[in-house]
Amino acid sequence: MELHVTTPPPPEGCIETQVVGNVLLIGLNRPAKRNGWTPRMFRELGEAYTRLDDDPELRVGVLHAFGDHFTAGLDMPAVQSHLERGEKLIPEGLVEPHDFGKPGYRRRTKPVIAAVKGICFTVGIELMLGADIVVAGQDCRFSQKEVQRGLMPGGGATLRMSERAGLGNAMLYLLTGDEFDAPTAYRLNFVQKVVPNAQVLDEALAIAQRIAAQAPLAVTATRLNAIKAVEEGPAAAVAEFAAVQRKIFASEDWAEGVRSFVEKRAAVFKGR
């Protein structure tokens, strides 16, 4: 698809958003620096995720990047003093894009698809693992290289890489910082699809539009219940089945779903 950028990004980069139907495209826009992360980019990313959750017309987000690379990771000179002082790069009260329940932040309710290509290092891996589905380009290169810079990953890699790939496989890359390729990321369950580079965003958007066509209340409930099962265990997820289903049965979308089944047509959901 064609992306529309009205002006060149500022030197510190920015997050560029574009609405396509019910989908919010969220683009990392600092290609001259391989989308290296700055405080402004973190703040604007939190704002974009919050917009996705708060706008009833938006149903799915697609996180992508301008240029040849998803991200080379943190711009260390730009964020060093903030990290050393313990300052939050994303203002409290917003949706936290890594989505692992940090105190002071909201957790996202709507799905996000990540489209990654080229270099996807450190915070890039953590953001894609914080999404729900990941589409990767065939040439994508990954590295969780914080240990090579004297850091511990602080955006969720230590838990999510272990959760997806098993502890040994996670340790192999967490403790060495070694690079791995897209087929390896697919094998380790870090990404769900590997496609030619030119198709990464189109494929991610196609998945997002497919999800956006479903009943929004049911999509949100399904997403949150699956996450609860992973984070709190099957019993916690099962315990909320009845209450969640009662809310769904009282919705207009449930009635529309039944009508569309009887009338043998595609449902048109309103999200209420």
Side-chain angles (χ1 to χ4, degrees), residues 13 20 33 41 44 60 71 78 98 100 107 116-117 126 128 135 141 161 220 224-225 242 254 260 268 271:
V20 179
K33 295 293 185 179
M41 292 171 69
E44 291 186 359
V60 186
T71 179
H98 296 94
F100 58 89
R107 294 201 71 175
V116 300
K117 59 185 178 180
E126 292 180 312
M128 81 177 195
V135 178
R141 295 156 49 204
M161 289 178 74
T220 293
L224 294 177
N225 192 260
W254 162 250
S260 67
V268 180

PDB file of all heavy atoms in Angstrom, residues 13 20 33 41 44 60 71 78 98 100 107 116-117 126 128 135 141 161 220 224-225 242 254 260 268 271:
ATOM      1  N   GLY A  13      12.918  12.250  14.987  1.00  0.00           N
ATOM      2  CA  GLY A  13      11.937  11.281  14.548  1.00  0.00           C
ATOM      3  C   GLY A  13      10.551  11.572  15.104  1.00  0.00           C
ATOM      4  O   GLY A  13      10.353  12.481  15.906  1.00  0.00           O
ATOM      5  N   VAL A  20      -6.888   3.728   7.868  1.00  0.00           N
ATOM      6  CA  VAL A  20      -7.354   3.008   6.686  1.00  0.00           C
ATOM      7  C   VAL A  20      -8.590   2.216   7.110  1.00  0.00           C
ATOM      8  O   VAL A  20      -8.477   1.163   7.745  1.00  0.00           O
ATOM      9  CB  VAL A  20      -6.272   2.063   6.123  1.00  0.00           C
ATOM     10  CG1 VAL A  20      -6.801   1.309   4.900  1.00  0.00           C
ATOM     11  CG2 VAL A  20      -5.011   2.829   5.767  1.00  0.00           C
ATOM     12  N   LYS A  33      18.058   7.430  10.628  1.00  0.00           N
ATOM     13  CA  LYS A  33      18.775   6.843  11.770  1.00  0.00           C
ATOM     14  C   LYS A  33      18.294   5.422  12.042  1.00  0.00           C
ATOM     15  O   LYS A  33      18.371   4.940  13.165  1.00  0.00           O
ATOM     16  CB  LYS A  33      18.579   7.705  13.015  1.00  0.00           C
ATOM     17  CG  LYS A  33      19.187   9.092  12.913  1.00  0.00           C
ATOM     18  CD  LYS A  33      20.710   9.034  12.850  1.00  0.00           C
ATOM     19  CE  LYS A  33      21.310  10.432  12.873  1.00  0.00           C
ATOM     20  NZ  LYS A  33      22.807  10.360  12.847  1.00  0.00           N
ATOM     21  N   MET A  41       9.750   9.842  20.224  1.00  0.00           N
ATOM     22  CA  MET A  41       9.112   8.704  19.570  1.00  0.00           C
ATOM     23  C   MET A  41       8.381   7.826  20.576  1.00  0.00           C
ATOM     24  O   MET A  41       7.277   7.345  20.312  1.00  0.00           O
ATOM     25  CB  MET A  41      10.160   7.909  18.786  1.00  0.00           C
ATOM     26  CG  MET A  41      10.717   8.671  17.587  1.00  0.00           C
ATOM     27  SD  MET A  41      12.133   7.839  16.838  1.00  0.00           S
ATOM     28  CE  MET A  41      11.357   6.380  16.132  1.00  0.00           C
ATOM     29  N   GLU A  44       5.127   9.666  21.596  1.00  0.00           N
ATOM     30  CA  GLU A  44       4.118   9.657  20.538  1.00  0.00           C
ATOM     31  C   GLU A  44       3.591   8.247  20.282  1.00  0.00           C
ATOM     32  O   GLU A  44       2.431   8.082  19.887  1.00  0.00           O
ATOM     33  CB  GLU A  44       4.698  10.265  19.262  1.00  0.00           C
ATOM     34  CG  GLU A  44       4.960  11.761  19.382  1.00  0.00           C
ATOM     35  CD  GLU A  44       5.411  12.395  18.075  1.00  0.00           C
ATOM     36  OE1 GLU A  44       5.547  11.671  17.064  1.00  0.00           O
ATOM     37  OE2 GLU A  44       5.615  13.628  18.071  1.00  0.00           O
ATOM     38  N   VAL A  60      -8.346  -2.069  14.977  1.00  0.00           N
ATOM     39  CA  VAL A  60      -7.078  -2.799  14.977  1.00  0.00           C
ATOM     40  C   VAL A  60      -5.958  -1.813  14.655  1.00  0.00           C
ATOM     41  O   VAL A  60      -6.155  -0.871  13.870  1.00  0.00           O
ATOM     42  CB  VAL A  60      -7.066  -3.937  13.925  1.00  0.00           C
ATOM     43  CG1 VAL A  60      -5.794  -4.777  14.040  1.00  0.00           C
ATOM     44  CG2 VAL A  60      -8.287  -4.829  14.070  1.00  0.00           C
ATOM     45  N   THR A  71      13.725  -1.134  13.244  1.00  0.00           N
ATOM     46  CA  THR A  71      14.472  -0.263  14.152  1.00  0.00           C
ATOM     47  C   THR A  71      15.800  -0.900  14.536  1.00  0.00           C
ATOM     48  O   THR A  71      15.890  -2.117  14.715  1.00  0.00           O
ATOM     49  CB  THR A  71      13.691   0.065  15.444  1.00  0.00           C
ATOM     50  OG1 THR A  71      14.502   0.891  16.285  1.00  0.00           O
ATOM     51  CG2 THR A  71      13.303  -1.174  16.219  1.00  0.00           C
ATOM     52  N   ALA A  78      20.552   9.755  22.956  1.00  0.00           N
ATOM     53  CA  ALA A  78      19.303  10.497  23.137  1.00  0.00           C
ATOM     54  C   ALA A  78      18.554  10.080  24.397  1.00  0.00           C
ATOM     55  O   ALA A  78      17.830  10.879  24.992  1.00  0.00           O
ATOM     56  CB  ALA A  78      18.405  10.319  21.921  1.00  0.00           C
ATOM     57  N   HIS A  98       4.366  -1.828  25.225  1.00  0.00           N
ATOM     58  CA  HIS A  98       4.913  -3.169  25.436  1.00  0.00           C
ATOM     59  C   HIS A  98       3.874  -4.116  26.021  1.00  0.00           C
ATOM     60  O   HIS A  98       4.035  -5.337  25.944  1.00  0.00           O
ATOM     61  CB  HIS A  98       6.132  -3.106  26.362  1.00  0.00           C
ATOM     62  CG  HIS A  98       7.289  -2.351  25.793  1.00  0.00           C
ATOM     63  ND1 HIS A  98       7.517  -1.022  26.044  1.00  0.00           N
ATOM     64  CD2 HIS A  98       8.287  -2.745  24.957  1.00  0.00           C
ATOM     65  CE1 HIS A  98       8.618  -0.627  25.425  1.00  0.00           C
ATOM     66  NE2 HIS A  98       9.092  -1.644  24.745  1.00  0.00           N
ATOM     67  N   PHE A 100       2.799  -5.112  29.133  1.00  0.00           N
ATOM     68  CA  PHE A 100       2.981  -6.131  30.152  1.00  0.00           C
ATOM     69  C   PHE A 100       2.613  -5.647  31.550  1.00  0.00           C
ATOM     70  O   PHE A 100       3.100  -6.148  32.555  1.00  0.00           O
ATOM     71  CB  PHE A 100       4.392  -6.732  30.127  1.00  0.00           C
ATOM     72  CG  PHE A 100       5.525  -5.756  30.298  1.00  0.00           C
ATOM     73  CD1 PHE A 100       6.003  -5.419  31.544  1.00  0.00           C
ATOM     74  CD2 PHE A 100       6.133  -5.199  29.186  1.00  0.00           C
ATOM     75  CE1 PHE A 100       7.053  -4.537  31.699  1.00  0.00           C
ATOM     76  CE2 PHE A 100       7.191  -4.317  29.332  1.00  0.00           C
ATOM     77  CZ  PHE A 100       7.648  -3.980  30.593  1.00  0.00           C
ATOM     78  N   ARG A 107      -3.508  -0.886  30.007  1.00  0.00           N
ATOM     79  CA  ARG A 107      -3.219  -1.998  29.105  1.00  0.00           C
ATOM     80  C   ARG A 107      -4.142  -1.928  27.895  1.00  0.00           C
ATOM     81  O   ARG A 107      -5.309  -1.568  28.008  1.00  0.00           O
ATOM     82  CB  ARG A 107      -3.366  -3.345  29.815  1.00  0.00           C
ATOM     83  CG  ARG A 107      -2.334  -3.537  30.915  1.00  0.00           C
ATOM     84  CD  ARG A 107      -2.147  -4.989  31.263  1.00  0.00           C
ATOM     85  NE  ARG A 107      -1.457  -5.726  30.214  1.00  0.00           N
ATOM     86  CZ  ARG A 107      -1.091  -7.005  30.334  1.00  0.00           C
ATOM     87  NH1 ARG A 107      -1.361  -7.667  31.444  1.00  0.00           N
ATOM     88  NH2 ARG A 107      -0.479  -7.621  29.357  1.00  0.00           N
ATOM     89  N   VAL A 116       7.451  -6.149  10.560  1.00  0.00           N
ATOM     90  CA  VAL A 116       8.872  -5.864  10.770  1.00  0.00           C
ATOM     91  C   VAL A 116       9.683  -6.290   9.558  1.00  0.00           C
ATOM     92  O   VAL A 116       9.351  -7.256   8.867  1.00  0.00           O
ATOM     93  CB  VAL A 116       9.395  -6.551  12.046  1.00  0.00           C
ATOM     94  CG1 VAL A 116       8.615  -6.062  13.266  1.00  0.00           C
ATOM     95  CG2 VAL A 116       9.298  -8.067  11.957  1.00  0.00           C
ATOM     96  N   LYS A 117      10.774  -5.556   9.326  1.00  0.00           N
ATOM     97  CA  LYS A 117      11.629  -5.821   8.172  1.00  0.00           C
ATOM     98  C   LYS A 117      13.027  -5.320   8.473  1.00  0.00           C
ATOM     99  O   LYS A 117      13.243  -4.560   9.426  1.00  0.00           O
ATOM    100  CB  LYS A 117      11.079  -5.113   6.926  1.00  0.00           C
ATOM    101  CG  LYS A 117      10.986  -3.600   7.097  1.00  0.00           C
ATOM    102  CD  LYS A 117      10.332  -2.937   5.903  1.00  0.00           C
ATOM    103  CE  LYS A 117      10.203  -1.422   6.142  1.00  0.00           C
ATOM    104  NZ  LYS A 117       9.581  -0.729   5.006  1.00  0.00           N
ATOM    105  N   GLU A 126      10.952  -6.256  21.447  1.00  0.00           N
ATOM    106  CA  GLU A 126      10.037  -6.161  22.579  1.00  0.00           C
ATOM    107  C   GLU A 126       8.684  -5.585  22.162  1.00  0.00           C
ATOM    108  O   GLU A 126       7.640  -6.020  22.650  1.00  0.00           O
ATOM    109  CB  GLU A 126      10.688  -5.332  23.679  1.00  0.00           C
ATOM    110  CG  GLU A 126      11.883  -6.069  24.273  1.00  0.00           C
ATOM    111  CD  GLU A 126      12.589  -5.305  25.369  1.00  0.00           C
ATOM    112  OE1 GLU A 126      12.880  -4.111  25.180  1.00  0.00           O
ATOM    113  OE2 GLU A 126      12.868  -5.918  26.420  1.00  0.00           O
ATOM    114  N   MET A 128       7.368  -5.860  19.097  1.00  0.00           N
ATOM    115  CA  MET A 128       6.655  -6.836  18.276  1.00  0.00           C
ATOM    116  C   MET A 128       6.109  -7.967  19.147  1.00  0.00           C
ATOM    117  O   MET A 128       5.012  -8.473  18.893  1.00  0.00           O
ATOM    118  CB  MET A 128       7.546  -7.380  17.157  1.00  0.00           C
ATOM    119  CG  MET A 128       8.495  -8.468  17.537  1.00  0.00           C
ATOM    120  SD  MET A 128       9.434  -9.107  16.133  1.00  0.00           S
ATOM    121  CE  MET A 128      10.077 -10.640  16.848  1.00  0.00           C
ATOM    122  N   VAL A 135       4.200 -10.097  11.445  1.00  0.00           N
ATOM    123  CA  VAL A 135       4.573 -10.448  10.073  1.00  0.00           C
ATOM    124  C   VAL A 135       5.982  -9.927   9.850  1.00  0.00           C
ATOM    125  O   VAL A 135       6.261  -8.745  10.080  1.00  0.00           O
ATOM    126  CB  VAL A 135       3.615  -9.820   9.045  1.00  0.00           C
ATOM    127  CG1 VAL A 135       4.048 -10.169   7.627  1.00  0.00           C
ATOM    128  CG2 VAL A 135       2.177 -10.273   9.297  1.00  0.00           C
ATOM    129  N   ARG A 141      16.498  -9.243  10.375  1.00  0.00           N
ATOM    130  CA  ARG A 141      17.554  -9.657  11.291  1.00  0.00           C
ATOM    131  C   ARG A 141      17.190  -9.165  12.685  1.00  0.00           C
ATOM    132  O   ARG A 141      16.829  -8.006  12.864  1.00  0.00           O
ATOM    133  CB  ARG A 141      18.896  -9.067  10.866  1.00  0.00           C
ATOM    134  CG  ARG A 141      19.409  -9.578   9.540  1.00  0.00           C
ATOM    135  CD  ARG A 141      20.361  -8.577   8.917  1.00  0.00           C
ATOM    136  NE  ARG A 141      21.379  -8.121   9.838  1.00  0.00           N
ATOM    137  CZ  ARG A 141      22.020  -6.947   9.705  1.00  0.00           C
ATOM    138  NH1 ARG A 141      21.716  -6.141   8.690  1.00  0.00           N
ATOM    139  NH2 ARG A 141      22.945  -6.601  10.570  1.00  0.00           N
ATOM    140  N   MET A 161      10.244 -13.842  25.436  1.00  0.00           N
ATOM    141  CA  MET A 161      11.063 -14.783  24.670  1.00  0.00           C
ATOM    142  C   MET A 161      11.058 -16.150  25.342  1.00  0.00           C
ATOM    143  O   MET A 161      10.963 -17.187  24.670  1.00  0.00           O
ATOM    144  CB  MET A 161      12.481 -14.240  24.511  1.00  0.00           C
ATOM    145  CG  MET A 161      12.567 -13.047  23.568  1.00  0.00           C
ATOM    146  SD  MET A 161      14.234 -12.336  23.396  1.00  0.00           S
ATOM    147  CE  MET A 161      15.031 -13.570  22.369  1.00  0.00           C
ATOM    148  N   THR A 220     -12.246  -8.215  21.279  1.00  0.00           N
ATOM    149  CA  THR A 220     -11.600  -7.744  22.502  1.00  0.00           C
ATOM    150  C   THR A 220     -11.700  -8.776  23.613  1.00  0.00           C
ATOM    151  O   THR A 220     -10.709  -9.071  24.305  1.00  0.00           O
ATOM    152  CB  THR A 220     -12.239  -6.416  22.957  1.00  0.00           C
ATOM    153  OG1 THR A 220     -11.937  -5.397  22.009  1.00  0.00           O
ATOM    154  CG2 THR A 220     -11.716  -5.999  24.325  1.00  0.00           C
ATOM    155  N   LEU A 224      -8.420 -10.618  25.315  1.00  0.00           N
ATOM    156  CA  LEU A 224      -8.112 -10.463  26.735  1.00  0.00           C
ATOM    157  C   LEU A 224      -8.194 -11.786  27.493  1.00  0.00           C
ATOM    158  O   LEU A 224      -7.409 -12.034  28.414  1.00  0.00           O
ATOM    159  CB  LEU A 224      -9.057  -9.434  27.364  1.00  0.00           C
ATOM    160  CG  LEU A 224      -8.886  -7.991  26.859  1.00  0.00           C
ATOM    161  CD1 LEU A 224      -9.923  -7.083  27.509  1.00  0.00           C
ATOM    162  CD2 LEU A 224      -7.479  -7.481  27.114  1.00  0.00           C
ATOM    163  N   ASN A 225      -9.120 -12.663  27.087  1.00  0.00           N
ATOM    164  CA  ASN A 225      -9.223 -13.953  27.765  1.00  0.00           C
ATOM    165  C   ASN A 225      -8.019 -14.834  27.465  1.00  0.00           C
ATOM    166  O   ASN A 225      -7.500 -15.526  28.351  1.00  0.00           O
ATOM    167  CB  ASN A 225     -10.524 -14.660  27.370  1.00  0.00           C
ATOM    168  CG  ASN A 225     -10.814 -15.852  28.246  1.00  0.00           C
ATOM    169  OD1 ASN A 225     -10.560 -16.980  27.869  1.00  0.00           O
ATOM    170  ND2 ASN A 225     -11.340 -15.603  29.448  1.00  0.00           N
ATOM    171  N   ALA A 242     -18.444 -16.973  31.950  1.00  0.00           N
ATOM    172  CA  ALA A 242     -19.879 -16.701  32.061  1.00  0.00           C
ATOM    173  C   ALA A 242     -20.167 -15.199  32.066  1.00  0.00           C
ATOM    174  O   ALA A 242     -21.072 -14.727  31.354  1.00  0.00           O
ATOM    175  CB  ALA A 242     -20.443 -17.356  33.328  1.00  0.00           C
ATOM    176  N   TRP A 254     -24.169  -9.321  18.861  1.00  0.00           N
ATOM    177  CA  TRP A 254     -24.594 -10.721  18.995  1.00  0.00           C
ATOM    178  C   TRP A 254     -25.879 -10.952  18.206  1.00  0.00           C
ATOM    179  O   TRP A 254     -25.989 -11.937  17.455  1.00  0.00           O
ATOM    180  CB  TRP A 254     -24.782 -11.078  20.456  1.00  0.00           C
ATOM    181  CG  TRP A 254     -25.600 -12.319  20.697  1.00  0.00           C
ATOM    182  CD1 TRP A 254     -26.848 -12.384  21.230  1.00  0.00           C
ATOM    183  CD2 TRP A 254     -25.233 -13.666  20.386  1.00  0.00           C
ATOM    184  NE1 TRP A 254     -27.288 -13.674  21.288  1.00  0.00           N
ATOM    185  CE2 TRP A 254     -26.310 -14.494  20.771  1.00  0.00           C
ATOM    186  CE3 TRP A 254     -24.107 -14.254  19.826  1.00  0.00           C
ATOM    187  CZ2 TRP A 254     -26.296 -15.874  20.614  1.00  0.00           C
ATOM    188  CZ3 TRP A 254     -24.087 -15.639  19.666  1.00  0.00           C
ATOM    189  CH2 TRP A 254     -25.164 -16.428  20.054  1.00  0.00           C
ATOM    190  N   SER A 260     -27.349 -12.654  10.745  1.00  0.00           N
ATOM    191  CA  SER A 260     -26.547 -12.909   9.545  1.00  0.00           C
ATOM    192  C   SER A 260     -26.419 -14.406   9.286  1.00  0.00           C
ATOM    193  O   SER A 260     -26.383 -14.848   8.126  1.00  0.00           O
ATOM    194  CB  SER A 260     -25.162 -12.273   9.685  1.00  0.00           C
ATOM    195  OG  SER A 260     -24.395 -12.902  10.695  1.00  0.00           O
ATOM    196  N   VAL A 268     -22.606  -7.369   9.650  1.00  0.00           N
ATOM    197  CA  VAL A 268     -22.117  -5.981   9.704  1.00  0.00           C
ATOM    198  C   VAL A 268     -22.151  -5.552  11.159  1.00  0.00           C
ATOM    199  O   VAL A 268     -23.210  -5.261  11.714  1.00  0.00           O
ATOM    200  CB  VAL A 268     -22.969  -5.038   8.834  1.00  0.00           C
ATOM    201  CG1 VAL A 268     -22.449  -3.613   8.910  1.00  0.00           C
ATOM    202  CG2 VAL A 268     -23.003  -5.531   7.384  1.00  0.00           C
ATOM    203  N   GLY A 271     -19.924  -2.766  16.905  1.00  0.00           N
ATOM    204  CA  GLY A 271     -19.117  -2.597  18.104  1.00  0.00           C
ATOM    205  C   GLY A 271     -19.927  -2.205  19.320  1.00  0.00           C
ATOM    206  O   GLY A 271     -19.410  -1.611  20.261  1.00  0.00           O
TER     207      GLY A 271
END
